[in-house]
Amino acid sequence: MRVAAQRFEAYLYVLPLVALLLFVFGYPLVRIFEFSFKMVRGIDGPWIGFRNYELILSQGLFWESVLHNLQLLLAIPAMVLISLIVSIMLYERVAGWRLYRVIVFVPFILAVPIIAVVMKRMFQFSGPVNEVLRWLSLDFMALDWIGSPDVALWTVMVLIIWRESALGIILFLARLLSLDEATIEASKIDGASWWQRAFHIIVPQMRGVIEFYVIVSVITLLSAVFAYVYIVGGGRGGPGTATMVIELYIFNALIRTSLPGIASAASVLLFLVAVALMYPLFRARRRVAAEERGP
């Protein structure tokens, strides 16, 4: 009885925080689901069933936004490869590794709007990137990185790769520091090259954390790129709709066209996709924890 009472007492301690979280996050979530089935004008409106969802799914702009989010997923292989190579180099303590560790962590510490503003200045047609290319007599590569509809989304992708790879480096380096160094040292003695050690010894032992990072990156690129495209695209997904993504589509529906029902329906769809990705995320996290505990 005493054990049961102590367990019940522990729940009482966390009850106020749970109630606060339910109020802060749970109530808005319920209201969003409710608004997605209404024609909201002001603070409420009549029930219209699935009409908002039908309107969204029939809009070309919505599907274009979805396509842009899917295109951004192409950044994930580059993020994984960069993170692996840099983390292994830091793990092997190349000359100046302490300085390099600070440099690669800085992008992830800085706020996205700060980075996006700086990068937008750098990639302007008359910005430093094009000036360097012209100085190197590579004028054909001096593109309108921000103003061209054909290039703008890829410029955003470069920015995302540069910043989000820092998280991968942090995760991979943490996993590397928990590995048994005896196997790696033995491979060095046997004459294994750097690439052989990396892809035949180190990477197989990091499968769980790589899966975890990939799933986190998928969720990020589907539902957490608003700040990037808002600043680079001038707040409207420009030029034209070249950098329009789902989050910006929701923002425009709510703020610019005052259609809370449409914005809520799109938010619900995005939320359901994110929830669907949570299961493999937790599976990957359990695998990482099991690997860190060892056999």
Side-chain angles (χ1 to χ4, degrees):
M1 290 292 293
R2 182 170 178 80
V3 174
Q6 289 177 342
R7 188 174 299 172
F8 180 72
E9 183 181 356
Y11 286 117
L12 287 178
Y13 282 118
V14 300
L15 183 60
L17 179 58
V18 171
L20 178 63
L21 291 175
L22 287 175
F23 176 75
V24 173
F25 296 104
Y27 176 74
L29 185 61
V30 171
R31 294 290 287 175
I32 287 174
F33 271 84
E34 179 187 352
F35 279 13
S36 71
F37 295 102
K38 290 183 175 182
M39 183 181 292
V40 180
R41 291 294 182 269
I43 61 173
D44 208 347
W47 187 273
I48 58 172
F50 289 94
R51 182 59 178 160
N52 287 326
Y53 293 95
E54 293 173 358
L55 289 172
I56 287 173
L57 297 177
S58 65
Q59 282 187 343
L61 182 60
F62 174 77
W63 290 111
E64 185 179 3
S65 303
V66 172
L67 178 61
H68 291 161
N69 278 100
L70 295 177
Q71 284 180 304
L72 290 177
L73 294 180
L74 297 174
I76 293 178
M79 290 161 56
V80 172
L81 184 61
I82 292 171
S83 299
L84 275 173
I85 293 174
V86 175
S87 61
I88 293 173
M89 291 175 64
L90 292 175
Y91 172 71
E92 295 192 343
R93 293 174 172 79
V94 295
W97 67 275
R98 288 187 175 86
L99 175 62
Y100 300 149
R101 185 173 61 180
V102 173
I103 292 173
V104 298
F105 289 173
V106 165
F108 199 72
I109 297 172
L110 295 175
V112 174
I114 296 174
I115 294 175
V117 169
V118 173
M119 295 294 283
K120 185 176 181 178
R121 295 286 185 184
M122 291 184 64
F123 280 94
Q124 286 179 340
F125 188 69
S126 58
V129 172
N130 281 344
E131 289 299 323
V132 171
L133 291 173
R134 295 186 186 104
W135 181 71
L136 295 173
S137 299
L138 298 174
D139 298 57
F140 67 96
M141 295 181 63
L143 306 176
D144 191 359
W145 303 98
I146 304 297
S148 172
D150 297 326
V151 183
L153 188 65
W154 301 104
T155 304
V156 173
M157 187 185 296
V158 170
L159 172 56
I160 292 173
I161 291 172
W162 178 65
R163 183 180 186 272
E164 298 299 329
S165 294
L167 174 61
I169 295 169
I170 295 169
L171 291 174
F172 295 166
L173 184 58
R175 178 70 182 106
L176 283 167
L177 293 174
S178 68
L179 296 180
D180 182 7
E181 294 187 6
T183 306
I184 300 174
E185 292 300 323
S187 66
K188 290 181 180 179
I189 295 173
D190 290 339
S193 67
W194 188 90
W195 290 103
Q196 289 174 327
R197 294 197 306 272
F199 290 99
H200 294 289
I201 298 175
I202 295 176
V203 171
Q205 298 183 73
M206 297 178 63
R207 178 184 171 188
V209 72
I210 292 173
E211 290 178 359
F212 177 80
Y213 176 59
V214 168
I215 297 169
V216 169
S217 299
V218 170
I219 295 174
T220 299
L221 294 176
L222 289 178
S223 59
V225 294
F226 176 81
Y228 296 107
V229 297
Y230 185 84
I231 294 173
V232 174
R236 295 184 178 273
T241 57
T243 57
M244 179 66 68
V245 294
I246 301 174
E247 291 175 277
L248 192 56
Y249 175 89
I250 295 169
F251 175 83
N252 288 339
L254 179 64
I255 303 300
R256 294 203 167 100
T257 58
S258 299
L259 295 172
I262 295 293
S264 297
S267 298
V268 168
L269 294 175
L270 185 59
F271 171 76
L272 293 177
V273 171
V275 169
L277 292 169
M278 289 298 177
Y279 176 70
L281 175 63
F282 288 128
R283 278 191 64 183
R285 185 66 192 93
R286 285 196 297 269
R287 182 180 289 118
V288 172
E291 289 179 356
E292 290 177 348
R293 287 195 298 269

